[in-house]
């Protein structure tokens, strides 16, 4: 299965034009990840039918409020709903101190375990590795320590061509065939050669999340060839100086990153409140990189 | 003018049934006060046309998230919108540490001054005094340090009976008459006796905000005779034990406080998510104290 990205927030800094603060929900294999968690994220989850109980991992890009002020409320609500499943949380230095302080004053001891990973700014660092995917930081250039995240599936296993099987095989046999191993019956007689009954694996895909940052072409090497890239595009290019001064990127610059990194699809978001109508940023980006979409609340994209 | 109370949130703990976390906006004379500030309060302000720039004072009752998680976002948005007007902020010990820590990590230096007052739990303490009203804490009984607030207008001045004035008087003369002083012309000749041209002052009113707390009849003495009282009523009375265990009050108990304190009107709120339909708590309270209303989002009440 591909990586599925659902957008819960698309506006920068303030709430406007029915746009909310940054949050994305990813389904990667059988796991659910949340990236960033602006204020009101739990309300957006309700609106877009995202079950908090499903979330396994949360990744925070930086400690500006529009990217994390909803986190403490989200954790509190998970606690209130009786969550017991472990949670991992990756983010910049300081995140654990902030969350812990608020839990201490509310005299709350969460009834689930939270494993914090605070990355080192400016390093590429693997903050999560499961059997089936990895998450690395993408060091960005913002006013405070900030990292994006590169989520990469590990190579997929081969797929069974069920039409070619004469009987129902036990899971251990299916697993062996998918892993390029032949299977035998209990008397040692060959049942199937893996090459005869399997198809090549699905491509392992990757998703790069890049927000917030000044135009930073040196991320291209790391995200090269990604299937799907989200890049902030706070301003249109006529505001290039303002983008630089406020450590943000323009739509044209974001598209040039996607083009030069030879990715398949680009999503842009984190829009300035000045753009009620987003055609200007979308058209500007598409002029440079045609496979661009707006990462708008409720929309879903596949890597 | 009376004290006007606008409700922005009425649900306890979680978001449900279109009910939000606790927040109330008060207009007292020419000042605007916010009491409590759950997550998403800035969105509720937008929805109910409350201008953030007008707010002069914020009062936080305790450090459970449904009463203050929206505060850091509110302050950040005020900053973003260029606020320069001073703000006062009263709350329990720890509030300043939490806010300061988050501002430090986001490298934000607010462009307006915030004067923090952290009250001493269990003491009645005046946290705000202006020319025209005072705000005292009401010590409550909750799982963490918690105080309600008693807002009392100072005695109003007499009112000019303009029909009895033969000419337009300068503001200094009007002020003197309202303050029960006679006024003279520049030659020392009596122009008006205050008793002849003024009416008695409007009654000075008071509003008591009591959330969250176990049933605590010893607050009755402090709120005695208040014009308007808000009291939490998280549960109906068949959940009395659960109310006690979770440091909350039932609707029947809240109404008995209003009755015994001989107040004019009662508002109940902070409803448990279990009550989609609030008739049960309203009827229960009204059976004990008929002048009870539901403090529901968007509703406005006058003390």
């Amino acid at each position: 299965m591909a990586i599925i990205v659902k957008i819960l927030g698309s506006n920068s800094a303030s709430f406007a034009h029915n746009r909310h603060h940054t949050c994305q929900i990813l389904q990667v294999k059988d796991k659910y990840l949340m990236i960033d968690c602006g204020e009101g994220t739990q309300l957006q989850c309700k609106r877009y039918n995202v079950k908090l109980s499903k979330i396994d991992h949360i990744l925070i890009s930086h400690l500006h409020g529009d990217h994390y002020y909803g986190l403490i409320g989200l954790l509190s609500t998970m606690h209130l709903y009786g969550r017991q499943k472990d949670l991992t949380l990756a983010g910049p230095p300081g995140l654990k101190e902030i969350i812990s302080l608020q839990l201490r004053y509310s005299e709350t001891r969460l009834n689930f375990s939270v494993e914090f990973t605070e990355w080192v700014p400016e390093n590429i660092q693997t903050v999560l590795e499961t059997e089936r995917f990895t998450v690395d930081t993408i060091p960005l250039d913002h006013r405070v320590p900030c990292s994006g995240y590169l989520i990469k599936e590990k190579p997929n296993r081969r797929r069974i061509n069920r039409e070619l099987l004469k009987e129902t095989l036990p899971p251990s046999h299916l697993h062996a065939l998918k892993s390029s191993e032949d299977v035998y019956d209990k008397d040692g007689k060959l049942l199937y050669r893996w090459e005869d009954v399997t198809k090549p694996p699905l491509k392992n895909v990757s998703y790069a999340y890049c927000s917030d940052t000044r135009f930073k072409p040196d991320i291209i090497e790391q995200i090269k060839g990604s299937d799907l890239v989200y890049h902030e595009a706070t301003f249109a290019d006529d505001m290039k100086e303002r983008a630089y001064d406020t450590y943000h990127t323009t739509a044209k610059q974001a598209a040039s990153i996607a083009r030069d990194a030879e990715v398949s699809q680009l999503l842009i978001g984190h829009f300035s409140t000045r753009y009620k109508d987003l055609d200007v940023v979308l058209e500007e980006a598409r002029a440079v990189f045609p496979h661009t979409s707006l990462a708008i609340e409720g929309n879903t994209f596949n890597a």
Side-chain angles (χ1 to χ4, degrees), chain A:
Chain A
M1 189 151 73
I3 296 175
I4 302 171
V5 179
K6 187 168 198 167
I7 309 299
L8 297 191
S10 67
N11 213 53
S12 70
S14 65
F15 298 90
H17 320 309
N18 288 317
R19 302 198 302 253
H20 289 70
H21 287 172
T22 304
C23 177
Q24 302 188 357
I25 305 291
L26 273 58
Q27 187 180 352
V28 189
K29 308 290 187 186
D30 58 340
K31 298 295 180 191
Y32 287 82
L33 286 71
M34 175 181 280
I35 307 185
D36 283 341
C37 184
E39 184 177 355
T41 287
Q42 53 176 317
L43 285 163
Q44 290 293 87
C45 285
K46 219 181 245 286
R47 183 169 297 155
Y48 293 109
N49 297 314
V50 174
K51 284 201 164 56
L52 300 190
S53 58
K54 283 195 170 178
I55 295 167
D56 302 289
H57 309 287
I58 301 179
L59 311 168
I60 300 293
S61 65
H62 65 298
L63 295 183
H64 280 157
D66 54 332
H67 292 258
Y68 91 97
Y69 281 167
L71 179 60
I72 180 69
L74 191 89
L75 297 177
S76 303
T77 299
M78 285 173 164
H79 172 74
L80 190 73
Y81 286 177
R83 180 189 180 105
Q84 296 195 313
K85 184 169 75 166
D86 293 354
L87 183 76
T88 76
L89 224 165
L95 185 61
K96 184 175 181 180
E97 184 183 357
I98 291 169
I99 298 298
S100 302
L101 183 71
Q102 293 185 82
L103 292 176
R104 179 157 64 77
Y105 276 111
S106 69
E107 296 180 16
T108 303
R109 198 183 147 81
L110 296 177
N111 42 27
F112 55 96
S113 140
V114 180
E115 189 192 325
F116 279 90
T117 303
E118 293 187 345
W119 34 257
V120 178
E122 296 166 32
N123 285 8
I124 295 179
Q125 186 177 331
T126 301
V127 289
L128 179 63
E129 176 161 11
T130 75
E131 269 185 43
R132 309 191 68 184
F133 64 93
T134 57
V135 179
D136 291 351
T137 56
I138 305 171
L140 299 172
D141 181 13
H142 202 44
R143 195 163 56 78
V144 297
C146 184
S147 286
Y149 292 99
L150 178 62
I151 296 96
K152 282 193 291 195
E153 288 185 334
K154 292 185 177 176
N156 289 301
R157 288 174 300 165
R158 296 182 68 83
R159 293 166 295 161
I160 306 288
N161 195 339
R162 288 181 191 269
E163 290 165 11
L164 302 178
L165 297 181
K166 285 172 246 132
E167 71 274 71
T168 303
L169 290 181
S172 59
H173 279 182
L174 293 172
H175 188 272
L177 290 168
K178 288 181 191 173
S179 308
S180 307
E181 294 166 16
D182 300 334
V183 296
Y184 300 85
D185 69 11
K186 62 184 189 306
D187 302 321
K189 190 186 146 207
L190 179 69
L191 281 174
Y192 294 103
R193 280 189 205 282
W194 64 267
E195 289 154 302
D196 295 341
V197 293
T198 63
K199 298 182 279 190
L202 289 172
K203 177 177 184 289
N204 48 310
V205 298
S206 61
Y207 174 58
Y209 172 90
C210 311
S211 182
D212 295 4
T213 188
R214 263 184 187 159
F215 180 49
K216 187 168 188 279
D218 68 9
I219 65 172
I220 288 171
E221 188 186 339
Q222 192 187 357
I223 68 172
K224 193 103 185 171
S226 290
D227 298 275
L228 184 63
V229 168
Y230 168 85
H231 199 291
E232 73 128 296
T234 308
F235 297 104
D237 211 57
D238 62 341
M239 303 283 290
K240 198 161 54 176
E241 281 75 28
R242 178 146 173 80
Y244 183 86
D245 291 346
T246 58
Y247 291 82
H248 288 298
T249 304
T250 71
K252 186 176 173 185
Q253 290 169 338
S256 77
I257 298 247
R259 178 197 61 207
D260 297 345
E262 297 170 355
V263 308
S264 304
Q265 278 187 76
L266 171 66
L267 309 178
I268 53 173
H270 198 264
F271 306 114
S272 164
T273 295
R274 76 184 57 226
Y275 306 109
K276 184 175 181 187
D277 183 334
L278 296 169
D279 284 352
V280 55
V281 284
L282 181 59
E283 282 167 21
E284 183 178 295
R286 283 188 172 163
V288 175
F289 187 78
H291 295 145
T292 302
S293 305
L294 296 173
I296 287 292
E297 281 78 350
N299 284 357
T300 295
F301 303 90
N302 284 14

